[in-house]
Amino acid sequence: MKHLLTAAALALATLAGAAQAEAPQGAAAPAPTLTYVFSIRADLDPPIEVGTVDGGRRRFIGIRGGEVYGPRLQGTVMAGGGDWQTIMPEGLTKVEARYFLKAADGTVIEVTNPGVRVASVEVVEKLARGEVVDPSLYYFRTTPNFKVNGGALDWMQRHAFVARGIRKPDSVVIDYYVVN
């Protein structure tokens, strides 16, 4: 697990520009950087436990609503989406969240947000029970994809994004970064 955490942290640091690396010979494009664009706070239902499937503990967590805030997007998280999780042995949780945002101008944005949360087995169990856990004790990253009906928010379909998550007892906060 330490190797997975180290590799993931190194990859994020490289994207953020914290690590300077030589570009491959002949490469003309600059190294990617990240720019914070917005956050959401999604209010969550209690988990629905499915049981063990394909070696992992399956569960579904519904989204009741929430808030969207930040420099590039404001609005609400719409009720009705959710997060399908598989908690694997050795501290890996695979997440696949699907939900809708409603921008302040009324535009509906479809979000598909797969990712991973990695922590010690003890921290994973505390998170699964809905306990408060210091976010520095786990790695929670996603790669969101947005679908929007053109207009002023079309930029969301024309860029790649990464996000970091913070799990709270009855909500999740996700900070979104555009990859430049």
Side-chain angles (χ1 to χ4, degrees), residues 76-118:
T76 59
V77 178
M78 299 176 74
D83 183 12
W84 289 258
Q85 296 182 351
T86 305
I87 302 173
M88 303 300 292
E90 305 299 322
L92 170 64
T93 301
K94 298 176 185 179
V95 298
E96 175 75 28
R98 294 195 59 158
Y99 46 95
F100 294 93
L101 309 177
K102 188 174 210 176
D105 69 0
T107 302
V108 174
I109 304 156
E110 180 182 345
V111 184
T112 303
N113 199 3
V116 296
R117 191 172 61 211
V118 181

Side-chain angles (χ1 to χ4, degrees), residues 20-38:
Q20 297 297 320
E22 292 285 325
Q25 188 169 356
T33 60
L34 300 177
T35 302
Y36 169 72
V37 287
F38 68 94

Side-chain angles (χ1 to χ4, degrees), residues 9-22 31-32:
L10 179 59
L12 188 60
T14 300
L15 281 176
Q20 297 297 320
E22 292 285 325

